[in-house]
Amino acid sequence: MYTVQMEDELIKNETYTLEINNFHNNLSHNGAGFFRAYYRLHNEETGEGDSRLVAATQLHPAKARIAFPCFDEPAIKAKFIVSLIRTEGFNSVSNEALESTKDLGDGRFKDTFKETPLMSAYTLAFAVSDYECKSLAKFRILAKSSAIKNNETDFALDTSIKTLKALEEYTGVNFVIDKMDQFAVPDEYFRYHAMENWGLGTYRKINLLRSKIHDSAKDYQITTEIISQMFGHQWFGNLVTPAWWDYMWMSVSFGTYFQYHTADV
């Protein structure tokens, strides 16, 4: 907790800007806040796996404060503009679509994303990786290049399109963000099945990517149900949010219902 001492009393209905400069932190190793992960990519020349770095977020519950200074309570919502500085060869994603990229020199680039809708800090998300993506319309699946090459993202992409359409028709409320990304986190670094960040869902790789050669019908069912639950939360949890952590069971209940209802549709 950080307490800001004011020299004068604040005036009701006035707007104030609070700048917190020189905030420093390290990427965590426990899958919470802004964390680092690694995956191995097969090197055709050496026949071995090269270790690749991924940085991603898990801000629920009450872990946004680990990543950056914020009012980390579900009822306190804000609009966020996210900027990420990355090196050449990497790309970044966040809840909203990329708005601009600035060349900072020395192989460094600053990606700035569109302003988000009014949202709780725990539904914010961002990631940096050398992943590739498979896209169709406003949907993208981001994963390591071999998964894209082997068409392991195709089922999740098709399921996502159908699921979002079904939820828009059921609720009568259109999805409010311009795009929907889904990001495959290496399994051993992500403690959850998935996380319903608004416009950027994060998943354990094993729950998102599917192979026609290696996976069973049950595996495909699991992916369908998890995507259905995560997409249900885009409305129930993200658009409409419980006021406090004690009431998160309400959004989880809605997500669980749509996990089966939408999958059945």
Side-chain angles (χ1 to χ4, degrees):
M1 301 296 290
Y2 183 73
T3 302
V4 180
Q5 301 291 346
M6 301 294 178
E7 293 182 357
D8 302 305
E9 289 188 6
L10 301 183
I11 301 173
K12 187 177 180 179
N13 295 326
E14 287 290 323
T15 300
Y16 296 87
T17 300
L18 174 63
E19 293 186 7
I20 300 178
N21 298 313
N22 301 317
F23 171 76
H24 297 277
N25 204 353
N26 297 316
L27 295 175
S28 74
H29 295 270
N30 62 358
F34 192 19
F35 66 91
R36 69 174 63 205
Y38 296 91
Y39 76 94
R40 304 197 73 82
L41 188 66
H42 181 72
N43 188 316
E44 295 183 357
E45 295 182 1
T46 64
E48 299 179 353
D50 294 336
S51 180
R52 303 295 183 95
L53 175 65
V54 174
T57 55
Q58 173 59 37
L59 307 184
H60 178 281
K63 294 297 187 293
R65 65 192 70 180
I66 296 177
F68 58 93
C70 61
F71 294 104
D72 194 10
E73 299 179 5
I76 302 178
K77 295 190 174 186
K79 296 179 180 180
F80 295 88
I81 298 175
V82 175
S83 293
L84 296 167
I85 296 175
R86 57 174 175 83
T87 56
E88 191 172 8
F90 285 84
N91 57 72
S92 66
V93 289
S94 189
N95 303 77
E96 272 287 3
L98 180 66
E99 187 167 61
S100 66
T101 297
K102 182 179 180 180
D103 189 343
L104 302 178
D106 297 324
R108 298 166 72 244
F109 298 86
K110 180 180 180 180
D111 294 335
T112 300
F113 298 85
K114 292 175 58 179
E115 185 179 74
T116 70
L118 202 64
M119 61 191 290
S120 304
Y122 82 86
T123 62
L124 195 69
F126 39 88
V128 178
S129 70
D130 64 353
Y131 280 177
E132 296 182 7
C133 73
K134 188 72 170 290
S135 62
L136 182 61
K138 63 181 179 182
F139 299 86
R140 296 193 304 175
I141 310 294
L142 297 103
K144 63 181 183 180
S145 58
S146 59
I148 304 294
K149 181 180 179 181
N150 295 329
N151 298 317
E152 294 175 13
T153 58
D154 289 1
F155 180 76
L157 187 62
D158 181 65
T159 301
S160 300
I161 295 170
K162 294 176 181 177
T163 302
L164 195 74
K165 181 181 179 181
L167 283 162
E168 285 182 326
E169 292 176 350
Y170 182 90
T171 61
V173 179
N174 289 334
F175 187 57
V176 300
I177 292 182
D178 293 337
K179 57 87 177 176
M180 185 65 211
D181 290 339
Q182 294 175 94
F183 190 93
V185 180
D187 294 336
E188 59 269 35
Y189 297 94
F190 203 51
R191 67 183 72 178
Y192 299 93
H193 292 301
M195 177 60 201
E196 64 271 14
N197 314 300
W198 217 356
L200 175 56
T202 47
Y203 296 72
R204 293 186 71 195
K205 174 181 68 67
I206 197 173
N207 291 327
L208 184 64
L209 307 180
R210 286 290 164 242
S211 167
K212 292 182 179 179
I213 299 174
H214 303 293
D215 292 327
S216 66
K218 179 63 176 179
D219 294 326
Y220 279 84
Q221 180 182 342
I222 290 172
T223 295
T224 302
E225 291 176 357
I226 292 177
I227 289 175
S228 296
Q229 181 179 130
M230 295 303 104
F231 278 35
H233 281 302
Q234 303 298 307
W235 281 263
F236 302 96
N238 296 356
L239 184 62
V240 180
T241 310
W244 190 246
W245 306 111
D246 289 349
Y247 308 115
M248 281 296 168
W249 64 268
M250 297 178 68
S251 62
V252 172
S253 297
F254 277 110
T256 303
Y257 172 77
F258 283 107
Q259 172 179 340
Y260 298 103
H261 173 81
T262 314
D264 184 59
V265 172

